């Protein structure tokens, strides 16, 4: 029994060693000749743009980690669609993508790169085994921070402005073009829940989400700089701004000091016309001491009830501005307006006022003048009086009685099982006479048949009784 167990143990060890040897022999190793022949030209140009001070050149796919490093993040570029690399540590042990957690390593497998974060890495020479491009380099991101421009002060509801944030390493923006699908900046405002302000209990509001993709307000794609637009349309009060960048391996968050968003400095009043030939008047007043009244410019567009659109602008340097709107009848008038101006401290601002709607009722319009009428027409109108129409109550009563009678007859026929032909009384006598004649004929036929019948003749000897006695 002991020999059998020892034999099984030896066979298991042989099997494990064989599998390990096959796994080591099947790992793809990049050679300069084969890899350079298959390197895509756009990726080569992208690698040339990476900052040199953030790279470690590979020598035969080897790199060295110095002693005393607590954490290091590495990016390995490889052929798109190829398998993830295998890391060989200084002690010779191998780390695969599916065994990274066992070695306290966070690993993100991208389509053309491996993003790896190692905590307390083993100092010494490391090696990357896989289809790594021979011209590829290691981008080290050990010191990554998020830098956000301070928000302007003061701010008002509806204000729109640009905001810039940067992902920095050693004080310079990260120029890693392979991050285009994973870097995003989330802008969140959280209420301080101060009862003195109107945003008490509002919680958290997501204001914007920027991506480093070169679209919209972003100047350049994949340069580590986020540029976007913030629109403060979520209400006045005291808020805490937070800026968050998320990647598959780490999160960077910046929280600025609380800011106060003031109410809108523009008040809008509508004076509707009372006559058809008058125009509607919109009064625009600056009711805040934060803005320079003489610097305000208004530009917008109004939509009339008939669907027509009209643009306008007000540039007069006055505290109160008036906008005349054509009176085009009853219906809904829609006003969209932007305000350009300066704060008292000289800061330029752009303000988008909320959409304004006002409804003109039909009764508020004066009836159009039809002109002088002829004297004959006026006399006819004065003499003409409405003629009262008599209601034919008699006919209404008779028709209702007739309908009720028909209904009663129909109900009687249904309940009694009679046929409608019973109503034809002039045909009943004829039918009775015909039935009587038929019955009379049938009776006469029966009498003749009985008279014609004769009694049967008896044979001789049938009437003589046999009174003889049997012999004793």
């Amino acid at each position: 029994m002991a020999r059998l167990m020892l034999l099984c143990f030896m066979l298991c060890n042989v099997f494990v060693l064989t599998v390990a040897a096959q796994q080591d022999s099947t790992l793809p190793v990049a050679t300069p000749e084969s890899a350079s022949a298959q390197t895509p030209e756009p990726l080569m140009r992208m690698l040339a743009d990476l900052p040199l001070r953030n790279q470690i050149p590979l020598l035969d796919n080897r790199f060295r980690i110095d002693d005393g490093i607590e954490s290091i993040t590495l990016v390995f570029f490889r052929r798109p669609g190829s398998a993830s690399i295998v890391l060989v540590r200084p002690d010779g042990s191998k780390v695969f993508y599916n065994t990274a957690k066992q070695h306290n390593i966070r690993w993100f497998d991208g389509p053309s790169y491996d993003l790896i974060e190692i905590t307390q890495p083993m100092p010494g020479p490391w090696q990357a085994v896989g289809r790594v491009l021979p011209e590829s380099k290691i981008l080290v991101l050990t010191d990554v921070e998020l830098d956000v421009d301070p928000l302007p002060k003061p701010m008002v509801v509806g204000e729109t402005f640009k905001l810039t944030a940067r992902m920095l390493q050693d004080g310079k923006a990260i120029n890693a073009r392979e991050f285009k699908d994973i870097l995003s900046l989330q802008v969140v405002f959280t209420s301080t829940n101060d009862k003195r302000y109107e945003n008490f209990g509002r919680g958290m509001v997501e204001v914007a989400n920027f991506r480093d993709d070169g679209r919209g307000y972003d100047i350049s794609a994949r340069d580590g700089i986020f540029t976007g637009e913030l629109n403060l349309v979520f209400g006045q009060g005291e808020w805490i701004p937070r800026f968050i960048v998320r990647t598959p391996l780490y999160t960077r968050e910046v929280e600025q000091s609380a800011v106060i968003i003031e109410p809108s400095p523009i008040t809008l009043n509508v004076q509707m016309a009372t006559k058809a030939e008058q125009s509607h008047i919109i009064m625009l007043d600056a009711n805040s001491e934060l803005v320079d009244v003489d610097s305000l410019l208004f530009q917008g567009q109004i939509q009339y009830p008939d669907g027509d659109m009209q643009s306008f602008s007000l540039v007069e340097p006055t505290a109160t501005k008036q906008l005349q709107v054509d009176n085009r009848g009853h219906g809904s008038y829609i006003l969209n307006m932007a305000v350009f101006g300066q704060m008292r401290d000289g800061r330029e601002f752009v303000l988008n006022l909320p959409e304004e709607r006002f409804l003109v009722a039909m009764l508020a319009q004066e009836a159009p003048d039809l002109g002088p009428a002829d004297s004959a027409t006026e006399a006819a109108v004065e003499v003409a009086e409405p003629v009262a129409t008599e209601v034919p109550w008699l006919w209404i009563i008779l028709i209702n009685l007739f309908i009720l009678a028909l209904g009663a007859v129909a109900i009687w026929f249904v309940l009694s099982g009679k046929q409608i032909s019973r109503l034809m009384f002039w045909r009943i006598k004829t039918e009775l006479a015909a039935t009587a004649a038929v019955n009379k004929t049938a009776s006469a036929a029966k009498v003749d048949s009985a008279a014609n019948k004769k009694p049967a003749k008896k044979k001789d000897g049938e009437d003589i009784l046999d009174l003889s006695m049997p012999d004793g």
Side-chain angles (χ1 to χ4, degrees):
M1 185 65 179
R3 292 181 179 180
L4 181 60
M5 294 178 63
L6 180 61
L7 179 61
C8 292
F9 179 76
M10 293 176 63
L11 290 177
C12 292
N13 289 335
V14 171
F15 177 76
V16 171
L17 292 175
T18 303
V19 172
Q22 291 179 357
Q23 187 175 13
D24 292 343
S25 62
T26 56
L27 289 174
V29 180
T31 60
E33 294 79 6
S34 60
S36 60
Q38 298 176 351
T39 301
E41 190 66 22
L43 185 57
M44 296 305 304
R45 292 196 299 267
M46 179 270 296
L47 294 176
D49 295 336
L50 292 174
L52 295 178
R53 64 174 298 171
N54 292 331
Q55 299 180 23
I56 298 178
L58 287 174
L59 180 60
D60 294 333
N61 292 347
R62 289 183 173 88
F63 61 97
R64 184 180 183 86
I65 298 179
D66 297 333
D67 189 12
I69 297 179
E70 296 182 358
S71 177
I72 185 172
T73 304
L74 309 174
V75 178
F76 291 92
F77 299 116
R78 48 182 169 79
R79 276 194 67 188
S82 59
S84 57
I85 65 171
V86 178
L87 287 179
V88 181
R89 302 200 300 178
D91 60 357
S93 60
K94 299 178 180 62
V95 181
F96 298 89
Y97 167 70
N98 55 356
T99 62
K101 292 183 179 180
Q102 303 175 8
H103 300 275
N104 199 18
I105 296 176
R106 301 174 63 191
W107 195 317
F108 178 77
D109 181 18
S112 59
Y113 61 91
D114 288 282
L115 186 58
I116 305 171
E117 183 183 50
I118 307 175
T119 303
Q120 296 180 351
M122 181 182 297
W126 290 63
Q127 184 176 4
V129 181
R131 307 190 71 174
V132 181
L133 299 176
E135 295 84 358
S136 178
K137 300 174 179 64
I138 301 175
L139 180 62
V140 182
L141 304 174
T142 56
D143 186 15
V144 178
E145 62 178 355
L146 176 62
D147 179 66
V148 183
D149 290 344
L151 295 176
K153 295 180 181 180
M155 297 184 296
V156 296
V157 174
E159 185 176 356
T160 301
F161 57 89
K162 292 183 180 180
L163 181 71
T164 302
R166 291 161 291 273
M167 289 294 297
L168 301 179
Q169 177 193 353
D170 296 332
K172 291 189 176 181
I174 297 174
N175 189 14
R177 297 182 181 274
E178 289 294 332
F179 286 157
K180 64 179 180 179
D181 295 329
I182 59 177
L183 286 184
S184 63
L185 174 66
Q186 185 182 18
V187 183
V188 177
F189 276 53
T190 305
S191 173
T192 58
N193 286 332
D194 192 336
K195 294 183 178 181
R196 296 176 299 172
Y197 300 98
E198 293 187 2
N199 66 333
F200 175 74
R202 285 289 304 275
M204 184 180 65
V205 177
E206 183 175 356
V207 182
N209 198 314
F210 302 158
R211 294 183 65 86
D212 186 17
D213 54 3
R215 299 180 181 180
Y217 289 92
D218 193 62
I219 299 174
S220 179
R222 304 182 301 279
D223 60 351
I225 301 176
F226 303 90
T227 304
E229 183 184 52
L230 290 185
N231 193 357
L232 306 180
V233 295
F234 45 87
Q236 66 186 69
E238 189 177 39
W239 301 87
I240 298 177
R242 295 169 55 208
F243 308 90
I244 306 169
V245 171
R246 305 181 191 275
T247 70
L249 292 184
Y250 55 83
T251 299
R252 294 293 184 267
E253 180 177 331
V254 172
E255 181 176 306
Q256 296 183 355
S257 58
V259 295
I260 297 177
I261 301 179
E262 302 289 344
S264 176
I266 306 299
T267 301
L268 187 146
N269 296 314
V270 180
Q271 297 178 1
M272 291 186 293
T274 58
K275 296 182 180 180
E277 63 272 10
Q278 293 180 348
S279 300
H280 305 292
I281 304 298
I282 298 178
M283 308 292 295
L284 301 171
D285 299 328
N287 58 358
S288 176
E289 298 179 354
L290 300 175
V291 300
D292 183 4
V293 177
D294 296 334
S295 66
L296 296 180
L297 304 177
F298 296 84
Q299 183 177 0
Q301 193 175 49
I302 186 168
Q303 180 179 348
Y304 291 96
D306 56 2
D308 188 19
M309 306 288 291
Q310 182 179 356
S311 300
F312 64 88
S313 60
L314 300 175
V315 295
E316 296 82 3
T318 57
T320 301
K321 293 181 171 57
Q322 294 184 2
L323 173 63
Q324 292 188 357
V325 179
D326 295 340
N327 189 352
R328 300 192 182 182
H330 62 279
S332 179
Y333 293 73
I334 303 175
L335 181 66
N336 292 286
M337 188 183 309
V339 183
F340 305 87
Q342 289 184 353
M343 295 291 182
R344 291 290 184 181
D345 57 2
R347 181 177 68 87
E348 300 283 345
F349 72 91
V350 179
L351 181 65
N352 291 320
L353 296 180
E355 184 179 80
E356 180 70 21
R357 293 171 177 259
F358 62 95
L359 180 65
V360 178
M362 183 181 298
L363 297 178
Q365 301 297 320
E366 189 178 66
D369 189 6
L370 299 178
D374 297 338
S375 59
T377 305
E378 293 179 356
V381 171
E382 292 178 358
V383 173
E385 294 181 357
V387 179
T389 303
E390 296 182 357
V391 180
W393 294 108
L394 180 60
W395 285 104
I396 293 175
I397 295 173
L398 293 176
I399 291 173
N400 288 332
L401 291 176
F402 179 73
I403 293 173
L404 292 175
L406 289 179
V409 172
I411 294 173
W412 178 79
F413 274 105
V414 171
L415 296 179
S416 61
K418 302 292 184 179
Q419 298 182 355
I420 300 179
S421 59
R422 302 294 297 175
L423 294 176
M424 302 178 183
F425 55 87
W426 60 87
R427 296 178 56 181
I428 295 177
K429 294 182 179 180
T430 306
E431 293 178 357
L432 292 176
T435 303
V438 171
N439 293 336
K440 185 177 181 180
T441 304
S443 299
K446 290 181 179 180
V447 172
D448 294 341
S449 175
N452 291 332
K453 289 183 179 181
K454 295 181 179 179
K457 186 178 180 180
K458 298 181 181 180
K459 295 181 180 181
D460 296 340
E462 291 182 352
D463 295 338
I464 301 173
L465 296 176
D466 187 4
L467 300 177
S468 62
M469 297 294 291
D471 295 337

